[in-house]
C-alpha cells in the first residue's frame, strides 16, 4: 500500500470519528409498542423529578419518577451564559449545588441574582438535595443536565412518558443572553422540542405519541410561541401578591373571567399555587375559592402545585396524611393534574383509590 | 295528707334520689343489638393512645375520633392515682401533656430527682422511669388524687401537631375508657396496659391486700370482659392486656383468661420486675416459656428491623421466631410525620404500612394515625378482592388491550 494513501485513509477515518457516527436506535431499545399515556384520571406530574428522594432535576430523579409511574416529568429550563438550555430551577446555585466547594468560581459570587455560568462550569458543579430533612446520600453524585438530556430520558423510557418543561425567567434571560440571528430564548426552546419531534395539538395522535405541556409564568412568552407551535400550553399563576414578570399584571387580573376568556385562545390550562385556590388559616383549609370552577367553565384545565408528603407541608385537615390531601384535591376540588415531589405516593393513591390492581 | 307523712315521703325520695337511679339502657341505644363484629381477617389497627395524631392523647375525644376512623382496638396506659383510682395516662410526669404549669395551687408539688447524674424536674404522677436509661427505683410518693388530676386540662404532646384542643379535655378514668368502647355502635376492642406495676404496688395500697393488677382485672370483669382469644365471649368484648412486666402478666393469668401481650422495649432496657435483658426475653427459650401466659409480643419497630443512617438494615428473625411459637406480633409505633419515617419509605406512611404488613408480616400495628392505617387497609383489601373478582378480570383485560392502543 502506498504510505501516502494509508496516511490519508487513517486521517480521514479519524476525522469521521471525531464528527460522531450516525445515530441509529440501539437494538435493546426497540420499543415499538409502548404503553400509552393514561388520560382517564388527573395527571401525575413529577415536579422536578422524584425530588422527594433524589436531588431535583437530575437524571436519577427523573428516572426514579418514571419508575414510580409519572405521567409527565417536569422541569425548569434556563439558559447559560453561552446560550445552552439546561434544567435548573433557582437563579442562584447555592441551595442545590456544591458551588461553595468550587474555589475557582468564588469570584463569580454576586450580591444580586444572576446566572453567570457557562455550560462547562455547571457540569463541574454537582447537585445536592435542597431540603435538609430529605435524603442527603446522593449529594454531589449527579450533575446538572441539559434540556436535550432531559428529553432523551423521557424518550428513552419503555412506556410513553410526557415532558412538562417551563420557559423560566424569559424576560431576564432575554436581557442577558443573546443568540445569533436575533433569536430569543423562546425560539431556542421551541426549536429543541421540534428537533425531537414534539408537536401536535392536545390529544392529537401526534401529541399522544410524545406528550408535552409547555408552562410559563410569563403570558407573552406563551402567546409568542403559540404562533410557532401548537403544543398545549399552561399559564402558571403565582401567589396573591406576585405580579407577572412581563406584563406586570396582578393575580386578580389574570384570574378574572375576562382574562380567562382571552388567554384560553393560547393555553389549555392554568397552573395555580394550591393555597390560592383554597386559602388556609392557622394551618387549616378555609372555604375554597371559585377559581377551579371558573377555569373549568372556560374549558381550562387546572394543574396546581406542589404536593409534598412531609407533615410541615400538610394542612391539619389532612391529619399529616398525604393521601388525604390527594383525595381532597382530586375528589372534592376536582383538579386535572398535580405537581408532586412524591410521584410514587400519588401513583399509589391513584391506583388504590380507583380500586385497580396495585 | 299528714304533714309528717308528706315530709317523710319527700325525705325518703330525696334519699333514694341521692343513691342514684338504677342504670337502664337509654332508648337511643337500643338499636345496637347487632353490632358490626370486630374484623379478624387482617392485622389489627390499634389506636395508640387514641387518635393522638390529631387530638391530645388518651382523652375521650381522641378515643372517639379513633373509633370514628375505624380502629379495631383503642389503646391506653393505666396508672393509679394517690387515692388508688385507675386512670388513663402515659407519663410519670404531668408536664408534657397537661396544663399543670398553669395551676398555681399545685406549684408546691414540683419535685426534682437526680437520676444517673442528671436532674429531672416536674410533677410526678407516679414513679420516675427514664425512657432511655436503665430503670431506677426512687423513694417518691404519688402526688395527686383523682379529683386533683381531673382539674387539669390535657394538651397535645408534640408541638408539630394540632394545638387547638389544648386544655379542652380532661384525664379520664379506666372506667370511662371502657365506657367509650362499649358505647360505640360497632364492636371496638380495648387494649389497656398495666403500666409501672412494680412502683405502683410499692406506693399505693388497696384494701384487703389487693394489688394494682387485682384492681385492673376487677375493673375489666365488672364490665363483662373475659374469655379466651377468639372465643364467643371475647369477640363480643375484645380485649388485649399488655405490659412490660412479665410477672404481672403471669400473675393475672390466674385471674382472667383474656389474651395478654408481652411488651418488649429497646435493646438496652431491662424488664422492671425481673431485670432481664432484651436478648433474654426475646430468646427462643423465653418465648417458649412466656407463650404459656401470653398470646403475643409487642416489640419496638426498630428492634425488629434495626436502622442505620435512617435506612432499614436487614430484618432480624424476631417475628419469624415469635410466629414459630404461635405468638402474635403487634409492633409500635407508626406515625405519619416524616421525621419518624425511614428513608426507604420516602416520607410515605402507607409505604411503611405496606412493608410491615406485607414484607415483615406483623399481626397488629400501634399507630398514632388510626385513619391512615384504616384507609390503607381498606384499599389494600379492595384491590386484593378485585384481583379475584370479575371486575378485577375486566381491569386486567383493559390493561392488556391498552398496551396495543399505541399502534397507529
Amino acid at each position: 500500500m502506498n504510505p501516502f494513501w494509508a496516511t490519508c485513509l487513517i486521517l480521514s477515518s479519524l476525522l469521521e470519528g471525531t464528527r460522531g457516527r450516525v445515530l441509529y436506535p440501539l437494538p435493546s431499545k426497540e420499543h415499538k409498542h409502548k404503553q400509552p399515556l393514561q388520560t382517564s384520571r388527573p395527571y401525575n406530574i413529577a415536579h422536578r423529578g422524584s425530588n422527594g428522594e433524589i436531588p431535583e432535576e437530575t437524571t436519577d430523579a427523573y428516572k426514579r419518577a418514571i419508575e414510580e409511574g409519572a405521567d409527565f416529568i417536569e422541569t425548569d429550563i434556563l439558559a447559560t451564559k453561552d446560550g445552552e438550555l439546561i434544567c435548573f430551577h433557582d437563579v442562584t446555585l447555592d441551595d442545590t449545588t456544591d458551588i461553595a466547594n468550587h474555589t475557582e468560581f468564588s469570584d463569580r459570587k454576586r450580591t444580586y441574582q444572576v446566572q453567570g455560568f457557562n455550560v462547562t462550569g455547571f457540569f463541574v458543579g454537582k447537585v445536592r438535595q435542597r431540603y435538609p430533612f430529605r435524603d442527603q446520600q446522593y449529594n454531589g453524585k449527579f450533575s446538572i443536565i441539559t434540556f436535550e438530556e432531559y428529553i432523551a430520558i423521557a424518550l428513552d423510557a419503555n412506556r410513553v412518558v410526557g415532558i412538562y418543561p417551563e420557559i423560566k425567567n424569559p424576560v431576564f434571560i432575554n436581557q442577558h443572553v443573546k443568540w445569533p440571528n436575533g433569536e430569543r430564548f423562546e425560539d431556542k426552546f421551541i426549536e429543541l422540542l421540534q428537533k425531537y419531534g414534539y408537536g401536535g395539538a392536545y390529544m392529537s395522535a401526534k401529541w399522544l405519541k410524545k406528550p408535552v405541556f409547555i408552562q410559563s409564568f410569563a403570558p407573552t412568552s406563551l402567546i409568542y410561541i403559540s404562533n410557532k407551535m401548537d403544543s398545549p400550553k399552561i399559564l402558571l399563576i403565582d401567589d396573591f401578591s406576585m405580579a407577572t414578570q412581563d406584563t406586570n399584571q396582578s393575580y386578580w387580573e389574570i384570574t378574572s373571567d375576562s382574562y380567562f376568556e382571552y388567554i384560553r385562545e393560547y393555553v389549555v390550562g392554568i397552573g395555580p399555587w394550591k393555597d390560592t385556590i383554597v386559602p388556609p388559616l392557622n394551618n387549616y383549609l378555609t372555604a375554597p375559592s371559585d377559581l377551579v370552577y371558573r377555569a373549568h367553565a372556560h374549558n381550562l384545565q387546572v394543574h396546581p402545585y406542589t404536593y409534598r408528603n412531609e407533615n410541615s407541608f400538610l394542612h391539619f385537615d389532612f391529619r399529616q396524611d398525604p393521601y388525604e390531601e390527594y383525595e381532597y384535591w382530586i375528589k372534592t376540588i376536582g383538579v386535572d393534574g398535580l405537581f408532586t415531589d412524591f410521584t410514587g405516593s400519588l401513583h399509589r393513591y391513584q391506583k388504590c383509590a380507583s380500586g385497580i390492581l396495585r | 295528707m299528714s304533714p309528717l307523712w308528706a315530709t317523710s315521703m319527700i325525705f325518703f325520695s330525696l334519699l333514694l334520689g341521692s343513691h342514684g337511679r338504677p342504670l337502664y339502657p337509654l332508648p337511643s341505644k337500643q338499636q345496637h343489638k347487632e353490632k358490626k363484629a370486630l374484623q379478624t381477617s387482617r392485622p389489627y389497627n390499634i389506636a395508640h393512645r387514641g387518635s393522638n395524631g390529631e387530638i391530645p392523647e388518651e382523652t375521650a375525644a381522641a378515643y372517639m375520633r379513633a373509633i370514628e376512623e375505624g380502629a379495631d382496638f383503642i389503646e391506653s396506659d393505666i396508672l393509679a392515682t394517690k387515692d388508688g383510682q385507675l386512670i388513663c395516662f402515659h407519663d410519670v410526669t404531668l408536664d408534657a401533656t397537661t396544663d399543670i404549669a398553669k395551676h398555681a395551687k399545685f406549684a408546691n408539688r414540683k419535685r426534682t430527682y437526680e437520676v444517673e447524674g442528671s436532674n429531672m424536674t416536674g410533677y410526678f404522677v407516679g414513679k420516675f422511669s427514664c425512657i432511655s436509661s436503665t430503670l431506677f427505683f426512687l423513694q417518691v410518693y404519688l402526688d395527686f388524687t383523682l379529683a386533683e388530676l381531673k382539674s387539669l386540662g390535657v394538651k397535645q404532646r408534640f408541638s408539630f401537631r394540632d394545638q387547638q384542643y389544648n386544655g379542652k379535655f380532661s384525664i379520664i378514668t379506666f372506667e370511662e375508657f371502657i365506657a367509650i368502647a362499649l358505647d360505640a355502635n360497632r364492636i371496638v376492642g380495648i387494649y389497656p396496659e398495666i403500666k409501672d406495676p412494680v412502683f405502683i404496688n410499692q406506693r399505693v395500697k388497696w384494701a384487703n391486700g389487693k394489688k394494682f393488677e387485682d384492681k385492673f382485672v376487677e375493673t375489666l370483669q365488672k364490665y363483662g370482659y373475659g374469655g379466651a382469644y377468639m372465643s364467643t365471649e371475647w369477640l363480643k368484648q375484645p380485649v388485649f392486656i399488655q405490659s412490660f412486666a412479665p410477672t404481672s402478666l403471669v400473675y393475672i393469668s390466674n385471674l382472667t383468661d383474656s389474651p395478654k401481650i408481652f411488651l418488649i422495649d429497646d435493646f438496652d432496657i431491662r424488664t422492671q420486675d425481673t431485670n432481664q435483658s432484651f436478648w433474654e426475653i426475646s430468646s427462643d427459650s423465653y418465648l417458649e416459656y412466656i407463650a404459656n401466659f401470653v398470646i403475643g409480643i409487642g416489640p419496638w419497630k426498630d428492634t425488629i428491623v434495626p436502622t442505620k443512617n435512617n435506612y432499614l438494615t436487614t430484618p432480624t428473625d424476631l417475628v419469624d421466631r415469635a410466629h414459630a411459637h404461635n405468638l402474635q406480633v403487634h409492633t409500635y409505633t407508626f406515625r405519619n410525620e416524616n421525621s419518624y419515617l425511614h428513608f426507604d419509605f420516602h416520607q410515605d406512611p402507607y409505604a411503611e404500612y405496606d412493608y410491615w404488613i406485607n414484607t415483615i408480616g406483623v399481626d397488629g400495628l400501634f399507630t398514632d394515625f388510626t385513619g391512615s392505617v384504616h384507609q390503607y387497609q381498606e384499599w389494600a383489601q379492595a384491590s386484593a378482592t378485585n384481583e379475584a373478582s370479575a371486575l378485577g378480570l375486566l381491569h386486567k383485560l383493559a390493561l392488556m388491550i391498552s398496551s396495543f392502543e399505541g399502534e397507529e
Side-chain angles (χ1 to χ4, degrees), chain B residues 100 103-110 123 144 148-149 151-152:
Chain B
I100 185 81
H103 295 254
K105 61 178 178 175
F106 294 136
N108 62 345
R109 312 263 186 112
K110 205 162 178 166
Y123 300 91
F144 293 82
E148 287 169 335
L149 290 173
S151 70
L152 304 175

Side-chain angles (χ1 to χ4, degrees), chain B residues 39-85:
Chain B
Q39 75 76 21
T40 50
S41 61
R42 62 190 193 212
Y44 294 122
N45 180 343
I46 307 159
H48 180 245
R49 304 186 207 167
S51 201
N52 81 90
E54 308 173 46
I55 296 173
E57 61 189 58
E58 313 219 10
T59 55
Y63 289 124
M64 286 165 91
R65 176 65 60 89
I67 292 172
E68 234 175 54
E69 289 178 328
D72 296 323
F73 287 84
I74 50 176
E75 188 261 0
S76 187
D77 307 272
I78 307 300
L79 292 176
T81 64
K82 187 172 174 182
D83 49 341
Q85 297 298 318

Side-chain angles (χ1 to χ4, degrees), chain B residues 282-303:
Chain B
S282 58
S283 66
D284 272 324
S285 52
Y286 192 84
L287 292 180
E288 205 174 309
Y289 157 71
I290 205 71
N292 294 315
F293 305 100
V294 304
I295 195 193
I297 55 171
W300 158 226
K301 263 199 279 146
D302 282 0
T303 60

Side-chain angles (χ1 to χ4, degrees), chain A residues 41-42 323-324 326-328 330-331 345-358, chain B residues 350 375-376 378-380 382-383 386 391 395:
Chain A
R41 59 184 193 229
Y323 290 66
E324 286 292 293
Y326 295 142
E327 178 108 328
Y328 175 78
I330 292 175
K331 298 227 170 105
S345 301
L346 177 55
H347 186 72
R348 184 202 291 267
Y349 167 76
Q350 290 188 306
K351 285 282 179 197
C352 286
S354 50
I356 301 176
L357 320 165
R358 261 179 285 154
Chain B
Y350 289 50
Q375 181 142 272
Y376 169 79
E378 288 285 294
W379 284 343
S383 59
N386 278 346
L391 185 63
H395 282 304

Side-chain angles (χ1 to χ4, degrees), chain B residues 97-116:
Chain B
T97 54
T98 74
D99 59 0
I100 185 81
K102 294 188 188 158
H103 295 254
K105 61 178 178 175
F106 294 136
N108 62 345
R109 312 263 186 112
K110 205 162 178 166
R111 306 232 188 287
T112 303
Y113 293 101
E114 193 191 311
V115 181
E116 304 198 357

Side-chain angles (χ1 to χ4, degrees), chain A residues 121-163:
Chain A
F122 270 122
F123 290 162
V124 170
K126 295 292 187 188
V127 182
R128 63 183 175 88
Q129 173 53 258
R130 176 190 293 275
Y131 295 112
F133 46 77
R134 288 185 183 170
D135 198 349
Q136 303 295 312
Q137 69 161 315
Y138 303 107
N139 287 0
K141 291 190 158 66
F142 308 122
S143 320
I144 295 172
I145 59 174
T146 62
F147 194 6
E148 292 198 69
E149 285 167 340
Y150 162 80
I151 289 172
I153 294 167
L155 295 178
D156 200 47
N158 62 359
R159 59 180 176 89
V160 174
V161 175
I163 57 170

